[in-house]
Amino acid sequence: MAVCTGCSLLCDDIEVSIDGRRITKTKNLCRKGFGRYRSLASDRSVPRVDGRQAGIEEAISRAAEMLRNAKRPLLFGWSCSTLEAQRKGIELARRTKAIIDDTSSICQGEIMDMVIRKDIPTCTLDDVRNYGDTLIFWGCDPSSSHPRHMSRFSYFPRGEKLQRGHEEDRTAFLIDIRTSPTAKILAGNFIQISPGGDADLIEAMLAVLDGKIPRVRDKKAMISMMNRLKKADMGVIFPGLGLAYSLKGRMDRMKALVDRLNETTRYNVIPMVGHYNMRGFNQLLFDETGFINRVSFADGVDHGPVYSVVEASKSCDLALVVGSDPISSLPAGIAKALAGVPMITLDPHRTLTTELSRVVIPTALSGIEAGGSALRMDGVRIEFDPIVKSEYPSDEEVLSKILEEI
Amino acid sequence: MKVTIVTFRDIFQSEAQEVDRFGEDYRRMSAVVFLDKSDAAKAGIKDGSNVLVESDNGRVVVVARISEDTHPGLAFMPNSPWSNQLVPAKTDDTRIPSYKSISATISVTDDKIPTVEDLLRELVS
């Protein structure tokens, strides 16, 4: 069995047939995971130094030299690397007195921070499958973002205590702006809100829990949903990017709702983490520094928004990007600032970021060409071995060599 | 036509991105905006027209598609380098960009849809 690193579900039931170094057949991959496997043969990055093709060793040496000379380096990415590579990355940040940040900084960081600090209760996806009888998908579309979430863990399976499955034993609600593919599956329990309407909805939900009339158009539907939520033996909320962006800076309202629900029953929260090991990086950095992201090692350990990729892109004098494509994923105005900084990029593929990088170091594709371990979106550690031999080094190997040369 | 743009993830686009983010499939599935049927009719925008989407932060040409579902005042774009031309670079205290709530105007255009390479050239210009 192989593990798919296409998303943070880390599906570990992938069957792969191999002929030499070629994958001839796979089973159980979703469309997204199949895309990741197909990418093995497409558009791989090539080693480059200062605009010309070079050997990997030369690219590593040049990267070490640039990092040695940098005054305020930014080390960014990390969500698509193994725990072993991430550990090396944090060590490199310490050694170079760098700012280190990951993709959670522009997505699920605020919610993940609460989960890792144990400010809100959480559970595993296996608990969800076996006991999660009341689910709220909030600002997410698992059918598109985590295609096997509902079938492996959350909605369709017959769990240990939920043998009648979604037909009778399990109820799932979706709160979202868009009539997504998931909204079509959960059509009867789809609560459609306006952009930014999440905070108002939370206040309405809290009002019903306090026995008050909610200030919403469809009061009856709201009261009916809350009655169902109160009856849960084990409820689970899955916040997605829609909620993360809508409630940014006000995540205490989500905590207030979860705390209030937990006064009478049991509710847990599992953020719908996108990249396969974002949670791993957040946990590792937290264990080492007390913060999940946005850390500077320039003078001991410091943390704050000034060390976010959004700010550091404008103030750093060098960026090391590992397994991420910030030139593609940041707002163009911020990407433009980062494009003006010398960049070193480690990536299996050609990306917008590698195209603008001074040094490119091609790496092996985790889960297919490189082994290691990662934390699933629920914090469960999943280990994997490479399934084909690679001509490329792993992130961990490249970072180890850079550390040696520094 | 004034709209609020909300970005989203699409599984087919995600697959295309995994396989080749410089490929035509990825561009076709990314450089697109989904409009409410009545909004599009009022603005004279037909399914498949090229449209110029402009925000305070930037502008980009994409293809218009008419949604099956109604969502007046809202337009949906897959999250991509094309939608990122419109996302404000300025952030609030959280330093989290507003990817899912962008005020924009949309109008029909004869201009071409940029490739990823075009967007990169613009970035370094």
Side-chain angles (χ1 to χ4, degrees):
Chain A
M1 290 288 178
V3 171
C4 174
T5 53
C7 79
S8 62
L9 289 181
L10 290 167
C11 291
D12 54 3
D13 60 350
I14 310 303
E15 294 179 30
V16 184
S17 304
I18 299 165
D19 177 11
R21 288 177 63 173
R22 208 166 61 87
I23 294 172
T24 53
K25 198 175 175 183
T26 60
K27 270 188 183 173
N28 295 335
L29 283 171
C30 70
R31 180 172 284 279
K32 203 170 163 182
F34 186 54
R36 190 154 183 85
Y37 271 65
R38 278 176 64 200
S39 78
L40 193 61
S42 73
D43 217 12
R44 299 300 293 258
S45 57
V46 291
R48 268 207 337 258
V49 171
D50 298 325
R52 63 175 169 79
Q53 204 160 325
I56 289 181
E57 295 301 325
E58 186 190 350
I60 289 172
S61 294
R62 179 77 176 115
E65 185 192 347
M66 287 168 71
L67 279 160
R68 216 168 25 230
N69 295 331
K71 298 276 186 295
R72 191 182 162 87
L74 163 67
L75 278 50
F76 176 75
W78 307 113
S79 304
C80 288
S81 298
T82 60
L83 288 166
E84 294 75 15
Q86 291 169 347
R87 205 169 275 124
K88 296 282 180 193
I90 296 169
E91 190 185 338
L92 184 62
R94 276 190 195 278
R95 289 267 296 276
T96 56
K97 297 183 179 296
I99 294 167
I100 190 163
D101 197 15
D102 80 311
T103 53
S104 72
S105 185
I106 52 169
C107 62
Q108 296 267 22
E110 288 186 308
I111 303 173
M112 187 52 78
D113 189 66
M114 293 197 301
V115 169
I116 287 180
R117 286 182 192 282
K118 299 186 170 57
D119 286 342
I120 46 175
T122 191
C123 63
T124 68
L125 288 168
D126 305 284
D127 293 334
V128 177
R129 180 175 54 229
N130 289 323
Y131 313 111
D133 60 358
T134 308
L135 315 174
I136 307 176
F137 294 100
W138 199 324
C140 60
D141 173 21
S143 282
S144 300
S145 61
H146 301 79
R148 298 183 70 204
H149 192 286
M150 296 175 88
S151 59
R152 280 189 75 207
F153 297 109
S154 58
Y155 186 56
F156 293 109
R158 298 183 191 285
E160 193 180 311
K161 299 283 181 193
L162 302 167
Q163 281 297 305
R164 293 177 194 278
H166 71 100
E167 302 97 321
E168 291 181 35
D169 287 347
R170 218 192 284 271
T171 305
F173 294 91
L174 172 69
I175 300 167
D176 203 1
I177 297 170
R178 190 173 64 98
T179 310
S180 64
T182 304
K184 286 169 185 168
I185 296 170
L186 303 177
N189 287 330
F190 173 37
I191 319 288
Q192 195 160 19
I193 57 170
S194 306
D198 305 75
D200 287 345
L201 186 74
I202 288 175
E203 297 315 319
M205 292 167 83
L206 287 168
V208 177
L209 290 171
D210 288 339
K212 297 173 188 163
I213 304 292
R215 289 183 184 172
V216 290
R217 202 172 45 203
D218 192 345
K219 295 178 173 51
K220 198 175 160 188
M222 170 63 70
I223 291 166
S224 164
M225 177 175 83
M226 294 314 294
N227 284 340
R228 180 66 193 85
L229 296 190
K230 282 191 287 188
K231 284 181 191 158
D233 280 334
M234 188 180 114
V236 188
I237 301 176
F238 299 103
L241 285 178
L243 181 71
Y245 292 147
S246 177
L247 271 193
K248 62 179 179 170
R250 296 178 293 170
M251 212 48 80
D252 59 312
R253 300 318 298 151
M254 169 53 64
K255 179 172 161 45
L257 176 64
V258 175
D259 287 349
R260 186 73 180 76
L261 285 166
N262 272 300
E263 285 175 14
T264 51
T265 178
R266 185 164 51 126
Y267 269 82
N268 293 306
V269 176
I270 303 178
M272 298 290 276
V273 172
H275 298 303
Y276 86 84
N277 200 19
M278 187 193 97
R279 177 150 185 178
F281 177 80
N282 294 149
Q283 187 67 57
L284 277 183
L285 192 65
F286 180 79
D287 292 346
E288 287 209 20
T289 68
F291 304 103
I292 66 155
N293 59 17
R294 300 178 172 187
V295 163
S296 169
F297 289 110
D299 184 16
V301 171
D302 198 9
H303 166 264
V306 70
Y307 307 124
S308 66
V309 64
V310 163
E311 286 299 320
S313 291
K314 301 170 202 162
S315 63
C316 67
D317 64 351
L318 172 74
L320 171 75
V321 178
V322 181
S324 183
D325 190 7
I327 295 295
S328 169
S329 58
L330 287 170
I334 301 165
K336 199 174 180 72
L338 186 60
V341 172
M343 287 190 287
I344 303 160
T345 300
L346 276 62
D347 205 288
H349 295 106
R350 191 165 72 99
T351 68
L352 279 70
T353 305
T354 63
E355 289 296 279
L356 300 184
S357 293
R358 197 166 283 184
V359 174
V360 178
I361 305 171
T363 51
L365 206 54
S366 302
I368 304 177
E369 296 174 314
S373 54
L375 296 192
R376 208 166 63 179
M377 64 160 66
D378 56 352
V380 170
R381 185 186 172 108
I382 306 284
E383 297 191 356
F384 44 87
D385 295 317
I387 52 173
V388 293
K389 279 190 178 170
S390 174
E391 60 185 286
Y392 305 108
S394 66
D395 293 350
E396 184 194 1
E397 287 167 335
V398 172
L399 292 164
S400 296
K401 283 185 179 173
I402 290 176
L403 273 164
E404 279 170 25
E405 293 205 22
I406 280 179
Chain B
M1 173 176 65
K2 284 187 179 175
V3 292
T4 299
I5 306 251
V6 178
T7 60
F8 69 100
R9 261 99 175 145
D10 170 73
I11 186 171
F12 295 93
Q13 184 229 12
S14 296
E15 181 195 20
Q17 184 187 34
E18 286 282 354
V19 175
D20 182 7
R21 60 188 68 204
F22 292 87
E24 184 51 33
D25 279 351
Y26 182 58
R27 180 167 75 137
R28 184 171 49 79
M29 293 179 202
S30 301
V32 56
V33 61
F34 292 89
L35 302 175
D36 176 74
K37 193 175 178 178
S38 59
D39 284 352
K42 277 183 219 160
I45 299 170
K46 290 182 181 154
D47 190 78
S49 310
N50 281 9
V51 288
L52 176 66
V53 189
E54 291 180 277
S55 73
D56 286 345
N57 196 65
R59 50 179 14 217
V60 68
V61 176
V62 297
V63 69
R65 293 287 173 208
I66 310 302
S67 297
E68 287 173 19
D69 308 298
T70 58
H71 46 84
L74 297 182
F76 297 111
M77 285 182 82
N79 181 280
S80 77
W82 286 268
S83 66
N84 279 332
Q85 302 303 307
L86 308 166
V87 180
K90 199 163 184 259
T91 57
D92 59 20
D93 291 346
T94 64
R95 305 299 195 276
I96 300 171
S98 293
Y99 288 102
K100 284 183 178 278
S101 182
I102 310 159
S103 297
T105 59
I106 300 183
S107 54
V108 176
T109 183
D110 291 328
D111 290 349
K112 284 184 180 170
I113 296 165
T115 61
V116 173
E117 287 83 357
D118 293 333
L119 297 177
L120 275 174
R121 271 191 290 275
E122 205 167 303
L123 205 64
V124 295
S125 65

